[in-house]
Amino acid sequence: MAPVDWSREWLTPWHVPGESLELAARRTSTAAALLQAAPPGLPRFVPHDHLPTGEAYEAFIHRTGTVPTRDNLHDFFNGLVWLNAPQAKRRLNRLQAGEIARTGIGATRGPLRDALTLFDENGAVLDAPPALWQALVARDWQRLFVTDRALWQQSRLLIFGHALMEKLVFPRKQATAHVLLAPGPDPSIANDDAAIAAALDATHLATKPFVPLPVLGVPGWWADNTNFCFYDDSDVFRPRRSPE
């Protein structure tokens, strides 16, 4: 595994458990380190070869209460989220397994499984003032990151997706989170496990209620964005599509 820079702002919520866990994983294995750190009641972490050929990963976790784990950053971050957001991860797994049982494994996942996978891999949650939400949903990047920049001091963005965490080990300007809009009139989701789990409503998720957010644009997360020309890159900070 490539070394993780735990001083990065997007890893602040994960720093304390993650740094010691990384050291343990390097001494033994990712599965062993996660298993040692897991409190009672969490799924057990096992080497990836425990997953039978032909059985869906999420269905296996639900059936056995074990998480197949490889020695790489992708599975390391997945395990880190399991340890620290178990209610949300259980909810995701329960919904995935339910859909697999209902429809089987086919060429496409379907809208609900697509949304579950997107959030699990690349999701984030935001707790922010309404003005920032309005700018984000409108893809009004200048308002979001320049005009209303000071409002980020009242905000919290939590990177939840383990694949996104892996990508950000080598940060690139294009790295984009899919921020989950909460069901109901207030789109914010508090950055705690129970609140995230409660927002994972199957009917709501099937509508793909996500807004893209290039994470290196967040004030304080990347030195280059102090120069506001950073946001002029339309390949990254794309305008909202017009309705067809």
Side-chain angles (χ1 to χ4, degrees):
M1 298 195 304
V4 179
D5 182 356
W6 294 101
S7 69
R8 297 292 195 182
E9 285 76 7
W10 50 85
L11 288 177
T12 296
W14 308 101
H15 181 172
V16 173
E19 189 168 27
S20 59
L21 188 65
E22 182 194 4
L23 293 173
R26 294 186 186 283
R27 287 195 299 266
T28 55
S29 70
T30 304
L34 289 165
L35 184 61
Q36 180 67 29
L42 234 63
R44 293 178 294 114
F45 296 89
V46 296
H48 197 269
D49 60 12
H50 284 219
L51 177 64
T53 301
E55 183 168 7
Y57 170 81
E58 295 287 354
F60 177 80
I61 294 173
H62 190 261
R63 178 176 68 83
T64 66
T66 60
V67 180
T69 303
R70 300 164 296 186
D71 284 318
N72 59 30
L73 282 175
H74 188 89
D75 287 12
F76 168 80
F77 284 122
N78 181 52
L80 180 62
V81 179
W82 264 110
L83 293 183
N84 293 279
Q87 294 181 62
K89 290 291 281 187
R90 283 189 184 280
R91 176 68 174 159
L92 290 167
N93 177 248
R94 190 179 306 116
L95 291 172
Q96 285 273 19
E99 281 297 284
I100 291 169
R102 188 177 69 85
T103 64
I105 299 295
T108 60
R109 291 190 179 99
L112 177 55
R113 288 196 63 215
D114 276 347
L116 292 165
T117 301
L118 183 62
F119 183 70
D120 194 24
E121 298 275 346
N122 213 63
V125 297
L126 177 64
D127 185 14
L132 285 189
W133 271 107
Q134 292 163 11
L136 175 60
V137 171
R139 319 292 201 272
D140 186 343
W141 307 115
Q142 285 295 311
R143 180 182 169 196
L144 180 67
F145 291 130
V146 180
T147 306
D148 289 341
R149 193 175 184 87
L151 291 179
W152 281 96
Q153 297 177 23
Q154 305 170 35
S155 307
R156 295 182 300 161
L157 177 69
L158 174 73
I159 301 299
F160 182 92
H162 56 279
L164 182 57
M165 292 184 198
E166 179 189 17
K167 292 174 190 174
L168 287 168
V169 171
F170 300 100
R172 297 173 67 242
K173 190 175 184 179
Q174 295 85 347
T176 298
H178 287 79
V179 177
L180 175 63
L181 301 168
D186 181 0
S188 285
I189 301 173
N191 292 191
D192 65 76
D193 186 22
I196 296 169
L200 296 172
D201 173 78
T203 302
H204 181 60
L205 287 170
T207 68
K208 292 190 177 178
F210 303 107
V211 184
L213 175 62
V215 296
L216 296 190
V218 174
W221 281 27
W222 196 243
D224 288 356
N225 74 36
T226 57
N227 181 339
F228 294 157
C229 292
F230 183 85
Y231 302 108
D232 293 338
D233 186 348
S234 60
D235 288 335
V236 175
F237 300 97
R238 300 177 181 179
R240 185 173 183 176
R241 293 179 182 175
S242 300
E244 296 180 358

